[in-house]
Amino acid sequence: MLTESFIYSTLSSEKSAVPAVIKDAGIHIHELQPISATRASFKKSSTPPKCLAVSSSHVYAAQAEKAAVHVYNREKGNQETLIPFPEKIHSVVFAESDGGAGFLILGTEGGRVIVWEVCTGRQVTTQASHLQPVTCLSIDASSNFVLSGSADSNIHVWSLPNLLSFIQDSSIDQTESPHDTPVRTLSNHRAPITSLALGHSSPDTNIAISASEDNTCIVWSYTNGVPLLTYLLPHTPLCLTIEPADRGFCIGYSNGSIQGVDFYASKSLESPLGDASTQNAPRQLSPNDCHIAPDDSVGACQCLALSYDGSTLLSGHSDGKITAWDAYTGKYDATVSSISIPITNILMLPPSGFPNEHPPNLKLDAVIKPRYDHSLSDTTSTGGGNHTHGIPANYNFSAKFPTAILPSSSLSLSSAAESTAPQTTFATSLTHPSFPASILAAGLSELSTHSTTTTSYIPLPSSPDPQQSSTATELATLKAKLHAQTLQQKKLLAHLVDLTNANADLREKEEKMEARRREKKGERAREGERRREKVLQGKMKVGEVMMVDEDEDEDEDGGLSEKEAVDDSGSD
């Protein structure tokens, strides 16, 4: 029976009024079908959005407001280790090769990208290419390209083979570090990047979708940096997910609603992604097409995930609800889970229970902690322009083979070549006299992709021809000038960001001072009004007293005249 599950994380707070049991368990594995139920939980984790990654053997969770990543062993069901880093981590993604082996890619608060080989401990850190924290990461299906989005509104495209390469050409300009610089930058957004999602095709035809706080969503051909479509959104997007066949995508908004976008809604036979006439014409999405759960108190949609067949959409909200939707109609289906703390990440796990399901070729029992050894974590030296060539002597790969690599009858290369029993790709590669043709073809295909999408760093040929020497000198001079201009532009951009922040602070201070002035002026006016009322009340009391005195005087005058009248009558 097929079983489909997902893993989700929560963001707990010490001040939140929730039971300790709920706060303690920060990561959960939940079975979606056939029976909806929680199957496992991992404790001691508080994970912000975009900071959860999972492999077939481990779970990696970057902690909120901490420069640390918790590593959990899925088989043992406990926390395996805690990995400290020099900077706070704002996003993570995992590129898996087989059986949990692969690379954990992390985006830091300082704008750097870190690549950690979990089976060797090697760590590669790029320079601070982003001016602000890396808010989201995404890796393509071939594990060749990594995209990083930042709060500085830029998206960098990185070549993972370049980042992990041990060989760097010593003829490259010493001021450059080609291996740890992005292939290109996508810079059409004007506000922080909130989410990135990549399609499932090969790199030369694949797409990437980015969402930003400027309420736009852009579909890219990231291998050549061309924007294919631009969507104007009715609300601020927080998360994205792409349909398994790359025919559309779903958006989660800050008001808790979701919206689906179909590239082929027009029923045209031509793909709208390849139509040059639509690349410069933004498309406005209608707010009437947004869907929200029947419960009006639903919080912001912080994460989205699609099921294996793309029929069910899961959304995680800040009020602790996980909602299931019909991905085709957008109708609300059910509330899968409801707790009292925000849901920050949802990741679908590969379905299990397929017939003839083969076990992985490798098994990772424990990760190797990052080692800050110079020969492992850096491929270039800092002085003299020396470069590392080849794999260091202390580079070790640690993993296990869960099953026999070869049959008992295939213990030698000759017997393996003569054996007619079917073998896995791994066993064929291991016993082949050289490299199998299929692996060579796949490698050549990837190299052709890189040759058309990355900058080629080829050393200039040495020749006694003076014309070629002068051309080489001019090229080197132009390259040095271009690098100096690039550095100057980066400095100016950093100063511009600082000035913008300072201007915003001054404006905020001025607004606060103006509010205080208005408040004091209002207090003085109210005080003057109170004084005038007191004076008026005093005058009214004085007037009343004077009127009473006059009345008494008149009474006295009237009494004397009556007495005189009596006396007069007596005398008469």
Side-chain angles (χ1 to χ4, degrees):
M1 180 183 293
L2 286 178
T3 302
E4 190 171 17
S5 304
F6 64 91
I7 184 170
Y8 68 93
S9 65
T10 60
L11 180 63
S12 61
S13 174
E14 295 180 357
K15 297 181 180 179
S16 59
V18 297
V21 177
I22 297 179
K23 285 199 299 184
D24 190 47
I27 300 175
H28 307 268
I29 295 180
H30 192 98
E31 182 180 308
L32 181 61
Q33 56 182 0
I35 300 174
S36 180
T38 300
R39 298 304 183 189
S41 297
F42 302 97
K43 300 181 179 180
K44 306 297 182 184
S45 179
S46 178
T47 311
K50 312 296 188 301
C51 288
L52 181 69
V54 62
S55 69
S56 58
S57 60
H58 290 81
V59 177
Y60 305 88
Q63 299 303 295
E65 300 301 326
K66 294 181 181 179
V69 173
H70 289 185
V71 181
Y72 299 92
N73 192 304
R74 290 181 59 183
E75 183 178 2
K76 298 178 181 178
N78 60 2
Q79 181 175 340
E80 181 177 301
T81 185
L82 184 149
I83 308 296
F85 287 92
E87 298 180 60
K88 292 180 181 179
I89 305 300
H90 285 243
S91 54
V92 299
V93 68
F94 192 81
E96 185 170 2
S97 56
D98 192 9
F103 314 95
L104 183 68
I105 306 167
L106 309 98
T108 70
E109 187 176 40
R112 293 176 173 83
V113 174
I114 299 175
V115 182
W116 167 33
E117 294 183 12
V118 297
C119 288
T120 66
R122 181 186 179 212
Q123 177 178 313
V124 176
T125 304
T126 70
Q127 55 184 310
S129 297
H130 288 291
L131 299 178
Q132 295 185 35
V134 179
T135 56
C136 50
L137 291 166
S138 187
I139 189 165
D140 70 342
S142 66
S143 296
N144 282 328
F145 292 97
V146 179
L147 271 65
S148 62
S150 171
D152 63 4
S153 76
N154 290 327
I155 302 169
H156 289 331
V157 181
W158 305 84
S159 170
L160 191 56
N162 283 356
L163 292 176
L164 298 173
S165 176
F166 285 104
I167 300 176
Q168 298 298 322
D169 197 340
S170 59
S171 66
I172 301 173
D173 185 1
Q174 305 303 327
T175 60
E176 294 278 356
S177 298
H179 74 289
D180 62 351
T181 55
V183 175
R184 61 178 42 83
T185 299
L186 313 177
S187 56
N188 284 29
H189 287 292
R190 296 295 178 264
I193 307 299
T194 58
S195 185
L196 286 171
L198 268 69
H200 309 84
S201 305
S202 58
D204 53 344
T205 58
N206 203 8
I207 60 172
I209 304 177
S210 60
S212 171
E213 289 183 5
D214 59 5
N215 288 14
T216 62
C217 190
I218 301 178
V219 183
W220 304 88
S221 173
Y222 61 89
T223 52
N224 54 26
V226 176
L228 304 177
L229 286 174
T230 301
Y231 292 94
L232 305 180
L233 309 179
H235 310 289
T236 302
L238 298 183
C239 50
L240 291 171
T241 187
I242 298 183
E243 196 259 344
D246 297 346
R247 294 180 57 87
F249 62 98
C250 297
I251 314 169
Y253 291 117
S254 57
N255 66 343
S257 63
I258 65 166
Q259 188 170 21
V261 178
D262 186 2
F263 295 143
Y264 300 89
S266 62
K267 309 299 181 182
S268 174
L269 297 178
E270 298 181 359
S271 172
L273 301 179
D275 189 358
S277 62
T278 63
Q279 293 181 1
N280 297 324
R283 301 185 179 185
Q284 178 70 57
L285 297 183
S286 173
N288 297 328
D289 296 332
C290 296
H291 304 279
I292 195 164
D295 186 1
D296 295 336
S297 64
V298 67
C301 182
Q302 300 191 114
C303 48
L304 291 172
L306 276 166
S307 61
Y308 179 75
D309 60 357
S311 61
T312 302
L313 175 67
L314 297 178
S315 61
H317 299 267
S318 59
D319 62 346
K321 290 184 176 64
I322 298 179
T323 305
W325 309 79
D326 188 325
Y328 300 117
T329 62
K331 293 182 179 180
Y332 168 81
D333 188 10
T335 298
V336 178
S337 178
S338 180
I339 56 180
S340 304
I341 50 181
I343 307 296
T344 53
N345 298 276
I346 298 178
L347 300 175
M348 296 300 301
L349 301 176
S352 60
F354 286 106
N356 302 323
E357 193 170 22
H358 297 287
N361 296 317
L362 295 175
K363 180 181 179 182
L364 180 63
D365 283 341
V367 300
I368 306 300
K369 293 185 178 181
R371 295 193 297 268
Y372 298 98
D373 183 79
H374 181 271
S375 62
L376 290 183
S377 59
D378 195 3
T379 55
T380 60
S381 64
T382 56
N386 298 324
H387 291 72
T388 300
H389 294 267
I391 301 176
N394 56 345
Y395 181 79
N396 299 317
F397 184 91
S398 300
K400 289 184 178 180
F401 297 111
T403 58
I405 304 175
L406 299 174
S408 58
S409 61
S410 302
L411 298 179
S412 64
L413 295 179
S414 59
S415 62
E418 297 173 357
S419 177
T420 59
Q423 293 183 347
T424 63
T425 304
F426 179 77
T428 303
S429 305
L430 186 64
T431 58
H432 200 277
S434 60
F435 288 100
S438 59
I439 292 181
L440 291 176
L444 290 174
S445 176
E446 290 190 5
L447 286 175
S448 65
T449 301
H450 283 284
S451 65
T452 58
T453 57
T454 61
T455 305
S456 180
Y457 298 95
I458 302 177
L460 294 174
S462 58
S463 174
D465 189 353
Q467 184 177 0
Q468 293 184 358
S469 300
S470 62
T471 303
T473 304
E474 291 176 0
L475 288 175
T477 304
L478 290 174
K479 191 174 184 180
K481 290 181 179 179
L482 180 61
H483 177 67
Q485 292 176 358
T486 303
L487 293 178
Q488 185 66 21
Q489 290 178 356
K490 289 183 177 180
K491 291 180 180 179
L492 292 174
L493 186 57
H495 290 318
L496 180 60
V497 171
D498 294 338
L499 290 174
T500 303
N501 294 334
N503 189 20
D505 293 339
L506 288 175
R507 190 180 297 110
E508 184 178 358
K509 290 181 180 178
E510 289 179 355
E511 291 177 354
K512 289 182 179 178
M513 293 178 64
E514 183 64 25
R516 291 196 192 99
R517 292 194 195 99
R518 289 195 297 266
E519 186 177 356
K520 289 182 179 179
K521 186 176 180 180
E523 289 179 356
R524 287 195 296 268
R526 288 191 293 272
E527 183 64 24
E529 193 69 28
R530 286 194 296 269
R531 289 180 179 177
R532 285 192 294 271
E533 290 179 357
K534 289 182 179 179
V535 171
L536 183 59
Q537 291 176 359
K539 290 182 177 180
M540 292 176 64
K541 289 181 179 179
V542 170
E544 291 177 357
V545 171
M546 293 177 64
M547 291 176 65
V548 170
D549 292 340
E550 290 178 357
D551 292 341
E552 291 179 353
D553 293 339
E554 290 178 357
D555 293 340
E556 290 178 358
D557 294 340
L560 290 174
S561 54
E562 290 178 357
K563 185 177 182 181
E564 290 176 355
V566 171
D567 292 340
D568 292 340
S569 61
S571 60
D572 292 340

